[in-house]
Amino acid sequence: DQLNVTGKANLNGLLLVHLFNGFPPASSDSFPILAYGSHSGNFSSLALPGGMSLTYTTTAANLGVTGPVSVQPMLLNPGIAAGKMIFGVWTASGTNYTLYRTDSLKPANWITITNFTGDGNFWNFSLSMGSVSNRFYRVSR
């Protein structure tokens, strides 16, 4: 997506970028994420996928690929139905993932639920919440 500001954009704060659908950009890719008539300041903090950088021009802020891009998994569409936690994650083809759970974050005791290999598609999960009032999930590659 791209945000277009017809006048002056006053930039500050955090820019957080997530790549969806397991999308791995190519080494020559560049993405204009913000267009503006003019701007003052810059984002004070960047949270970009590894292998990407942000550059500013007089009329745009662009994401560029500087090396191999690491696509981090993200749990999407979370919900609870019939005592089950339901969510999904976009996967990158051939990438190995591990799904974990814990019932407490103080301290977290992450327990492996499953390991799986992505196929470039959206994987849906429906997991029993058990009898606990809180359960937390994460996926890593």
Side-chain angles (χ1 to χ4, degrees), residues 125-140:
F125 293 92
S126 178
L127 305 169
S128 173
M129 294 287 295
S131 60
V132 299
S133 59
N134 293 308
R135 181 155 287 167
F136 305 90
Y137 296 92
R138 74 176 185 183
V139 67
S140 67

Side-chain angles (χ1 to χ4, degrees), residues 101-115:
R101 73 164 174 83
T102 187
D103 295 338
S104 175
L105 295 176
K106 294 181 181 181
N109 179 25
W110 293 103
I111 298 167
T112 300
I113 298 173
T114 189
N115 296 298

Side-chain angles (χ1 to χ4, degrees), residues 77-87 125-130:
N77 305 322
I80 298 175
K84 293 188 176 199
M85 180 69 188
I86 300 167
F87 57 86
F125 293 92
S126 178
L127 305 169
S128 173
M129 294 287 295

Side-chain angles (χ1 to χ4, degrees), residues 28-82:
S28 61
D29 284 346
S30 179
F31 306 94
I33 60 166
L34 175 61
Y36 40 74
S38 64
H39 86 282
S40 66
N42 291 326
F43 292 104
S44 57
S45 182
L46 300 174
L48 306 176
M52 297 192 83
S53 66
L54 182 70
T55 57
Y56 301 93
T57 69
T58 56
T59 59
N62 300 298
L63 281 176
V65 176
T66 59
V69 175
S70 58
V71 179
Q72 296 300 319
M74 175 186 264
L75 299 180
L76 300 170
N77 305 322
I80 298 175

